[in-house]
Amino acid sequence: MKKLYIDIGGTHLRSELVVGSELVEEIVSSQTQGLLSYIDHMVLQHPNIDFIGISYAGQVHKGRILSAPNIKVDETNLKEVILSRHGIQLEIDNDLNCAVMAEAQYWQSSSIATLYVGTGIGAAVINEGRLVRGSQNLSFEIGHIPYRTAPFLCGCGRNNCIELFASGSGMGKWLQYYGSEQCINLEQFKNSNIEHERLIATEFKTSLLYAAGTLITLANPEFLVLGGGIVEKNLDLVDYLKEYLPLYALAPSLKTLHVELSQLKNAPLLGAKLLEKMHYE
């Protein structure tokens, strides 16, 4: 039988089709490709898929997409539609929930938080071996905590989310605000001779510290694992957080904390592979 695993974020949709011992990988743009249409295409091209697991960079609950600030949505009730249309079992969860499950397995920890920074910024927490979800699977939406007012809106519709400062999409909006067509490059911005680029870099690092300190203070994890495209391209951010977190987090919460860089190639996609076991074992 065949299994399809998908990780969809604000920039890319990555998929793995597992057919026995064979693996078929694909990357497409999530800005132009709807998730439902992509699944319809894959089911047509590869008959006999019996399970689909999806890691989704948005708010989801019981198979339904509640909101997706950075992704094109062509169907909200995805689980029900795929079951009725194709007879395929599908599980979809927030990408950071998937990531933290994979990270917990890797670090062998029952008390762990993830903080990933890419197009957006997100977090998830496992406490005493159980994923902290909240009543609608919306726990630890760190990117949308109030931070500072910006002169433009977040994808969620508000203008004071921390994602407007500590994310790729946020940096892009600040560049547009300053009238710049420069590509996002945090490393370059840090030492730029252009004032607004240095300001964007400084604001990014400060807001990331605020997000990490808030997460640690609220969740009190044993591990804080950092990941996402921007962190992977700016590895100095890990040491930066380790140095300055005492100014932003509750001191007792730092005593036994391990701050680590993710060692997994794609933790959200690995977590999507755990969804079948979680729900059907």
Side-chain angles (χ1 to χ4, degrees):
M1 302 295 280
K2 302 175 183 177
K3 301 183 187 298
L4 176 63
Y5 303 108
I6 296 171
D7 170 38
I8 180 167
T11 304
H12 297 113
L13 182 157
R14 295 175 171 85
S15 71
E16 289 187 1
L17 179 70
V18 179
V19 185
S21 60
E22 296 182 13
L23 181 67
V24 180
E25 299 177 278
E26 186 174 40
I27 300 178
V28 299
S29 170
S30 60
Q31 293 295 305
T32 57
Q33 175 71 68
L35 184 52
L36 176 61
S37 62
Y38 182 80
I39 293 173
D40 284 340
H41 166 74
M42 291 296 285
V43 170
L44 181 64
Q45 294 294 313
H46 305 278
N48 300 320
I49 293 174
D50 69 320
F51 179 78
I52 300 173
I54 302 173
S55 159
Y56 192 82
Q59 293 81 42
V60 297
H61 183 49
K62 294 184 177 179
R64 299 181 68 99
I65 296 170
L66 303 181
S67 65
N70 301 308
I71 301 176
K72 173 185 176 182
V73 179
D74 58 355
E75 174 57 55
T76 57
N77 195 8
L78 200 64
K79 180 175 180 175
E80 185 176 305
V81 168
I82 294 301
L83 184 61
S84 62
R85 184 179 294 185
H86 301 295
I88 300 173
Q89 292 180 321
L90 177 147
E91 292 297 332
I92 179 171
D93 207 338
N94 173 264
D95 60 336
L96 267 297
N97 285 351
C98 290
V100 79
M101 289 188 291
E103 297 288 4
Q105 189 176 76
Y106 178 85
W107 295 101
Q108 292 293 293
S109 175
S110 61
S111 173
I112 186 168
T114 51
L115 182 64
Y116 274 42
V117 189
T119 303
I121 177 172
V125 172
I126 285 178
N127 181 52
E128 295 185 343
R130 300 188 66 176
L131 185 64
V132 181
R133 291 190 177 276
S135 64
Q136 295 186 78
N137 203 30
L138 298 176
S139 288
F140 292 102
E141 279 288 346
I142 200 77
H144 303 288
I145 61 173
Y147 179 60
R148 288 177 48 194
T149 301
F152 37 73
L153 297 178
C154 176
C156 76
R158 295 190 295 121
N159 68 345
N160 64 345
C161 294
I162 201 164
E163 186 163 292
L164 293 172
F165 299 85
S167 72
S169 61
M171 286 192 287
K173 289 177 180 179
W174 279 107
L175 286 171
Q176 285 184 327
Y177 174 75
Y178 288 117
S180 172
E181 295 183 358
Q182 170 74 338
C183 293
I184 298 168
N185 187 324
L186 182 59
E187 181 62 33
Q188 179 180 314
F189 290 173
K190 294 172 190 175
N191 303 304
S192 174
N193 58 5
I194 300 174
E195 183 179 2
H196 72 254
E197 291 182 357
R198 294 196 306 273
L199 181 61
I200 289 172
T202 299
E203 292 285 4
F204 176 92
K205 293 173 71 175
T206 302
S207 55
L208 180 62
L209 266 172
Y210 183 88
T214 300
L215 178 60
I216 291 164
T217 300
L218 291 177
N220 184 213
E222 176 190 18
F223 282 86
L224 174 66
V225 181
L226 305 168
I230 290 180
V231 172
E232 291 167 4
K233 294 177 182 177
N234 298 272
L235 298 181
D236 61 300
L237 289 173
V238 180
D239 290 332
Y240 178 78
L241 288 182
K242 288 180 179 179
E243 181 176 357
Y244 291 102
L245 270 173
L247 300 176
Y248 286 78
L250 185 67
S253 295
L254 296 172
K255 286 185 177 180
T256 57
L257 178 71
H258 303 276
V259 179
E260 304 287 352
L261 174 69
S262 176
Q263 302 299 303
L264 302 176
K265 181 180 178 182
N266 189 329
L269 189 61
L270 291 173
K273 296 179 180 181
L274 299 176
L275 293 178
E276 183 178 18
K277 183 179 180 181
M278 278 184 56
H279 290 273
Y280 299 116
E281 187 173 59

